[in-house]
Every structure is written in C-alpha cells, then in structure tokens.
Amino acid sequence: MASDAIFIHHTDSSGYKFGEEHPFDPLRITLTIDLLKEINAISEKQMEAPPSYSEEELLSLVHRTDYLSAVKQLSEDAEFNDSSTLAQQFGLHTEDTPYFPGMHKAAMTIVSGSVAAADAVMTGRTKHAYHIAGGLHHAFPDRASGFCVYNDAAVAIKHIRQTYDARVLYIDTDVHHGDGVQWVFYDDPNVCTYSIHETGKFLFPGTGFVYEKGVDHGLGACYNVPLEPYTEDDSWLESFNVTLRKVIKAFKPDIIISQHGCDAHAYDPLSHIHCSMRIYAEIPAIIHELAHEHTDGRWIALGGGGYDIFRVVPRAWSLVWLTMIEHPIAKAVTAGEAPSLPDSWLQRWAAISPLKLPTKWLDDPSDIEPMPRRTEITEKNRAMQKIVVQDI
C-alpha cells in the first residue's frame, strides 16, 4: 500500500561542505530535521536512506565523463600536483565552488537521494517524496557552478524520462535562476522548466530572462519569471500564482519536481528579494494543491539555496514536509496563524545562532521593513507576468 509521503535523507550528505567560512552549510539540514522531530512531525518509518545506485550509469545521464573523472581525482587527492589546472578547467577553483576532499562521495549521495525520491513516487510506493539535501540546480554537464558539483535534480529528471517515460514539470523557487536544469532540458518538449527568481540583471547567475523559452522541439517548454529586487510577499505570490497555474494547465505533466531554495527571504544575505516566511508556507501549499489536481499527487520536493540557516531555513524547509503530510501547523501557518516554535528547539540552538531566533513559525511583520517602491515594483512584475503567459 502506498504511503502519502516519505522523507529521504542520508547522513553522508553532511559531508557536502566547502569549508567553515562558506555560506553553504549542511548544519541547516540538521536544524530542520531537529525542528521536525521536536514537533513529532517525522518518524523513523517516514525517513529512509537512498539505496546504492550505479554511479556511472546515473551521473552520465547528465555529466560528461571527463568532468566526472576530474571530480573524483580532486576529491581523492587534494595535493595532486596539477590540481589547480584541473580545478580551473572544470569550475572547481572558485570561492563559490572550491573542490574539497570527499566531494564526489558527498555529491553522489545527494544525487542518489533525489533519484530514490523519483523511484519512490514513480513506482507508486508513495505520492510525495522529500529529499531535503537535494536541489543543486546550478551544476552543468561539464563544470561546477554556484555551490553545485553534480546536478541531482537534472539527473533525477533524466532518470524519470529514461525509466518511466513521464512528462516532468520542474518548478524552481530559489531566488537564483535554475540555470543548470534549464539548459540540460532546453530542447526537450517533455520536460518543462519553470523558474521564479530575482532578475539576472543584478544577481548570479545572470540568466533566467523571459525570452529564454527553449529551442527546437523544446521551444515553449521553458518559463522564467524574473522578479524585481525588493519584491515583497504579495507581488511574489501574485507572480507565482498567475504564471504557474497557466503553465501547469497547458503542459499537463505526469509528475512535479520542485526545488525549494528559501533565499528570497528578506533576511537572506545573498539576494535582494524582500519576502517573509509567508511565501514559504504558500509555496508548498500551492504545489501540493496543483499536484493533486494535475499529477494524481505525484510530487517530489528538493531543498536548494538558503543562507540564513538559523532564522529562515529550518522553518521554510519544515513547512514543505508539514504540507506534504497535511500537518496542522502547515494548515495554521497557511491560514495566517503564527504558532510558536518549540521552546526546546529554541533553547538548544540559541547558544550558537549569531542572531536572535524567531519564536514563531511566521515572521513578525514589524521585523521586516516595508519597501518604499512597492507600487513601482509590483507594476513592473505585473508587466513581466503578462509577457510570461502571453503565448500560453
């Protein structure tokens, strides 16, 4: 009998860490799982580690063999004499994505988790699967980029196409454009990529404009919703609802894969979007609704960006799982209520948090300064929405 949701996690994914000072910190996963345990929202029955897969078979679905060889070589021998040249050739020499010992094993563990989520849903074992460590959407077939070594989302989608011949809608809500996934499927009419993000005019990776619509047979299966800097909740959610609902109705997917980067929050240090926790309650609620309406409930959720690891990520990522299992907290938060976070969790992590932790699931509106250009920003986003959906 199928379950409603499973939570996929392997402890080896915590090895995916670029250094103590790097903003990508796997502690955010620990914080999230601990929060879910404190509210009794996760059980051992619902948590499972991914099985072992053939590394070459999976990774070669997306990545070039010379790139895979380089990642393994740099992972195993950090003192290799020619390492700097090799790293530069494959994008593993930057401050954003520097190579580190054990890189291949940790990145492959993340790929395995996302593929396991795909198999669990596509075989009918569960309706929903959540792989919190996944969502490394910037990696390219031949190089690393933007904190991402292997593109687990793209590999999982390729696996679904090859094994189950299903039409996939990929929804990316990270504040940074989901460029790696987009370009892998830019000519594929059976994979629709949808990314809502801060405009690439001012933010990495500098892509994701409305005119990027796909090529050849894939033309019209790529949608980008670039938002103005300092966009707030109402305009963000309006843009999301207006565009995504038309896209999914037109594309008619068999399954949804969503990437839940939570770096569009006003607290996030790496972007300029000015949203609150409200959108992180609404996003999974909307996708959950659309999955049951359009894909018979088939929905895979992945993690992604998010660099305020204490105040934002644990709440945002917990709400994805709470929505999947239809937990009362998710329903309350979506309705605008603000239940308190558990005191035990707050006390445990307050000692190492650099900033005061929020005490409720939603933000206090007075803690996020309103933007003076709200009307202008909203109008620009509405003009963009019209361009996105004009050909649907």
Side-chain angles (χ1 to χ4, degrees):
M1 181 176 178
S3 65
D4 288 332
I6 60 172
F7 190 106
I8 293 174
H9 178 62
H10 197 297
T11 54
D12 283 353
S13 61
S14 64
Y16 191 86
K17 186 172 183 178
F18 296 100
E20 292 301 324
E21 302 303 319
H22 196 282
F24 191 104
D25 191 338
L27 177 61
R28 61 199 183 137
I29 297 175
T30 302
L31 288 159
T32 303
I33 293 175
D34 191 50
L35 178 55
L36 289 170
K37 287 181 176 178
E38 282 294 334
I39 60 171
N40 297 314
I42 193 75
S43 68
E44 292 302 321
K45 182 180 179 181
Q46 292 166 313
M47 291 183 69
E48 58 181 68
S52 297
Y53 289 96
S54 167
E55 294 182 1
E56 294 299 325
E57 184 177 338
L58 278 188
L59 294 175
S60 62
L61 290 173
V62 169
H63 296 288
R64 280 186 0 193
T65 54
D66 56 344
Y67 176 61
L68 298 177
S69 296
V71 172
K72 292 177 183 178
Q73 189 168 347
L74 291 165
S75 298
E76 296 168 2
D77 187 359
E79 302 301 322
F80 180 62
N81 290 334
D82 197 33
S83 62
S84 62
T85 301
L86 193 65
Q88 288 177 15
Q89 183 179 351
F90 294 102
L92 289 161
H93 65 296
T94 64
E95 289 185 1
D96 280 357
T97 321
Y99 67 92
F100 59 91
M103 173 175 59
H104 166 73
K105 178 183 177 182
M108 181 60 207
T109 298
I110 293 173
V111 170
S112 296
S114 295
V115 173
D119 281 334
V121 173
M122 290 308 304
T123 58
R125 189 160 67 87
T126 187
K127 288 289 187 183
H128 313 320
Y130 188 20
H131 180 220
I132 196 171
L136 305 182
H137 60 165
H138 293 306
F140 284 77
D142 60 346
R143 70 184 189 278
S145 177
F147 311 164
C148 304
V149 176
Y150 295 148
N151 196 320
D152 63 286
V155 173
I157 294 169
K158 282 280 191 180
H159 176 70
I160 289 171
R161 291 290 310 130
Q162 177 177 280
T163 307
Y164 305 101
D165 192 30
R167 286 168 63 82
V168 181
L169 172 61
Y170 172 76
I171 300 170
D172 193 313
T173 62
D174 197 290
V175 79
H176 303 92
H177 175 227
D179 57 340
V181 181
Q182 172 179 296
W183 300 125
V184 168
F185 299 102
Y186 208 52
D187 61 352
D188 190 337
N190 294 302
V191 178
C192 179
T193 58
Y194 171 99
S195 179
I196 181 168
H197 47 265
E198 181 180 336
T199 174
K201 292 178 181 178
F202 310 107
L203 191 70
F204 175 89
T207 53
F209 297 99
V210 291
Y211 56 76
E212 295 168 23
K213 295 180 178 294
V215 294
D216 301 331
H217 293 297
L219 183 64
C222 174
Y223 295 91
N224 286 291
V225 185
L227 300 175
E228 291 294 306
Y230 307 109
T231 293
E232 295 168 286
D233 291 347
D234 286 345
S235 184
W236 197 102
L237 289 168
E238 177 188 291
S239 299
F240 188 59
N241 269 304
V242 166
T243 56
L244 179 60
R245 291 181 185 278
K246 290 191 176 182
V247 167
I248 194 169
K249 187 176 181 180
F251 181 69
K252 298 179 174 58
D254 298 308
I255 186 170
I256 294 170
I257 297 183
S258 54
Q259 195 266 22
H260 292 264
C262 51
D263 38 7
H265 195 284
Y267 293 162
D268 198 275
L270 300 187
S271 71
H272 315 102
I273 298 294
H274 205 68
C275 292
S276 77
M277 195 56 56
R278 179 183 158 207
I279 73 165
Y280 296 113
E282 293 284 351
I283 290 168
I286 292 166
I287 295 173
H288 189 237
E289 172 201 335
L290 293 175
H292 283 284
E293 183 178 346
H294 293 277
T295 64
D296 193 29
R298 288 184 290 271
W299 173 29
I300 298 162
L302 309 174
Y307 307 101
D308 191 312
I309 70 169
F310 288 95
R311 296 183 297 174
V312 175
V313 180
R315 292 184 293 165
W317 281 1
S318 290
L319 284 166
V320 177
W321 176 248
L322 296 177
T323 300
M324 281 188 164
I325 64 173
E326 300 184 4
H327 193 280
I329 287 178
K331 294 179 181 180
V333 174
T334 303
E337 300 174 23
S340 295
L341 295 170
D343 289 338
S344 51
W345 185 86
L346 292 170
Q347 291 169 7
R348 181 155 49 252
W349 297 107
I352 64 171
S353 175
L355 296 163
K356 183 180 178 181
L357 294 175
T359 60
K360 296 183 181 297
W361 282 91
L362 286 177
D363 298 310
D364 184 335
S366 65
D367 290 339
I368 299 177
E369 183 179 357
M371 289 290 101
R373 294 174 50 246
R374 178 180 295 169
T375 301
E376 178 187 344
I377 290 168
T378 299
E379 289 174 353
K380 287 185 176 181
N381 286 339
R382 283 178 177 160
M384 174 274 307
Q385 293 168 30
K386 292 178 181 178
I387 297 172
V388 173
V389 302
Q390 64 184 359
D391 297 326
I392 299 178

